[in-house]
Amino acid sequence: MKLLEGKVTLITGASRGIGRGIALELAKNGSDVAFTFLSSPEKAAELEKELSQYNVKAKGYKSDAADFKASEELIASILADFGRIDVVVNNAGITRDNLLMRMSEDHFDEVIKTNLKSVFNITKAVQKTMLKERKGSIINISSVVGVKGNAGQANYAASKAGIIGFTKSIALELGSRNIRCNAIAPGFIETEMTGVLNPEVVKQWREAIPLKRGGTPEDVANLVVFLASDKSAYITGQVINVDGGMLT
Ligand code: NAP
């Protein structure tokens, strides 16, 4: 029997990057997968097909994680289609980098809404079904930047630090109902998000990492599989770095 057989997982923002890597790894381990996307319908359709090759149920939903009402509707649709949600991975995220001096109010609000309020939207909407089932695992994708801060990313760092506070609070609130909530803090992971960075800066980042390489979506996905599984049954309220030793 596969590690996640019989589980239903929701991942936000899985059309590409880390979310896509997580969806594939979960499916390989036997979980049914409901995932969301926003602006990449072709990539989402491709992923749906790829996931189905692992003999699991898979469906993509176009849904803006920053939208409270849409998130409630999303959870209702997934429950109608899948019957249950055992695991949630709050992954959807964006960057709008700039020095504070040049950061617009819109870019601050946009990042907070997409990265942080989305975690509130989805977690609040899903908690009812998890409370009824008396089990669940919520996994929030934060960042090393949320732990350490980063010049030029005050909006992003604030959103990712906010996720950590939210994660610890929910772990305290829902622990007695056997619902776990943990955060993952990835370091430098090579995706479209980091693909926009100056190659010289990327080279410097890689050299500064003790393991001397950027991470892959699979590096993050492997930890998600563990946190989604019952093998992590006694782990909650934690922030776990997947960063090649960056913050050591
Ligand atoms: P990415 O390649 O830019 O992918 C972002 C994903 O989020 C896409 O699937 C996108 O969907 C989705 N998305 C964006 N806004 C959304 C919204 N409002 N509602 C629903 N989905 C939305 O980014 P990534 O590198 O994979 O990052 C994934 C997560 O890991 C983010 O939370 C990011 O902050 C975090 N993280 C990344 C790194 C890194 O080095 N890459 C490091 C630490 C943390 P569409 O394409 O359909 O719009």
Side-chain angles (χ1 to χ4, degrees):
M1 180 153 159
K2 289 182 176 167
L3 189 59
L4 301 178
E5 215 163 294
K7 290 198 190 289
V8 177
T9 304
L10 160 64
I11 312 154
T12 62
S15 45
R16 54 199 164 87
I18 295 174
R20 179 185 149 79
I22 292 171
L24 286 166
E25 219 47 51
L26 288 167
K28 276 185 212 167
N29 283 279
S31 178
D32 289 336
V33 176
F35 70 91
T36 69
F37 62 96
L38 189 62
S39 58
S40 314
E42 294 86 8
K43 287 184 182 170
E46 239 170 70
L47 178 64
E48 218 179 77
K49 245 197 253 160
E50 257 184 85
L51 293 171
S52 307
Q53 287 169 5
Y54 295 104
N55 290 323
V56 297
K57 185 169 168 173
K59 189 167 174 184
Y61 300 79
K62 182 173 159 63
S63 181
D64 183 355
D67 183 329
F68 183 76
K69 191 99 188 62
S71 299
E72 282 185 331
E73 287 163 8
L74 169 75
I75 299 300
S77 301
I78 296 172
L79 288 175
D81 294 341
F82 287 78
R84 238 182 33 250
I85 301 173
D86 304 294
V87 179
V88 168
V89 186
N90 283 307
N91 167 77
I94 57 168
T95 50
R96 296 289 180 267
D97 298 350
N98 226 328
L99 295 173
L100 183 60
M101 198 181 285
R102 294 198 207 107
M103 189 176 287
S104 68
E105 185 188 1
D106 280 355
H107 279 179
F108 187 85
D109 289 347
E110 203 184 335
V111 167
I112 296 293
K113 250 184 129 177
T114 303
N115 296 6
L116 177 59
K117 182 156 178 278
S118 63
V119 179
F120 164 78
N121 293 343
I122 298 284
T123 308
K124 185 167 168 67
V126 87
Q127 72 160 348
K128 206 165 151 199
T129 177
M130 286 187 170
L131 285 170
K132 209 171 80 196
E133 300 283 338
R134 286 201 157 259
K135 67 181 165 68
S137 175
I138 299 161
I139 302 158
N140 298 325
I141 306 298
S142 176
S143 167
V144 291
V145 167
V147 179
K148 187 180 175 287
N150 196 21
Q153 288 198 306
N155 50 359
Y156 184 79
S159 72
K160 295 298 183 179
I163 286 179
I164 293 173
F166 184 86
T167 299
K168 292 185 178 194
S169 304
I170 298 308
L172 294 172
E173 216 172 293
L174 301 183
S176 64
R177 312 295 179 91
N178 197 29
I179 299 168
R180 300 181 292 112
C181 187
N182 291 287
I184 296 178
F188 177 73
I189 310 295
E190 309 216 12
T191 66
E192 281 179 41
M193 182 178 274
T194 47
V196 298
L197 298 172
N198 177 323
E200 204 35 55
V201 173
V202 170
K203 202 170 149 226
Q204 285 166 14
W205 272 96
R206 283 203 198 102
E207 277 162 11
I209 296 167
L211 288 180
K212 300 295 172 205
R213 66 169 178 90
T216 64
E218 293 68 38
D219 288 324
V220 179
N222 288 331
L223 177 57
V224 171
V225 168
F226 172 66
L227 290 175
S229 80
D230 299 338
K231 298 234 182 247
S232 58
Y234 203 51
I235 299 176
T236 195
Q238 302 306 303
V239 183
I240 305 173
N241 294 3
V242 179
D243 66 356
M246 192 189 256
L247 285 200
T248 306

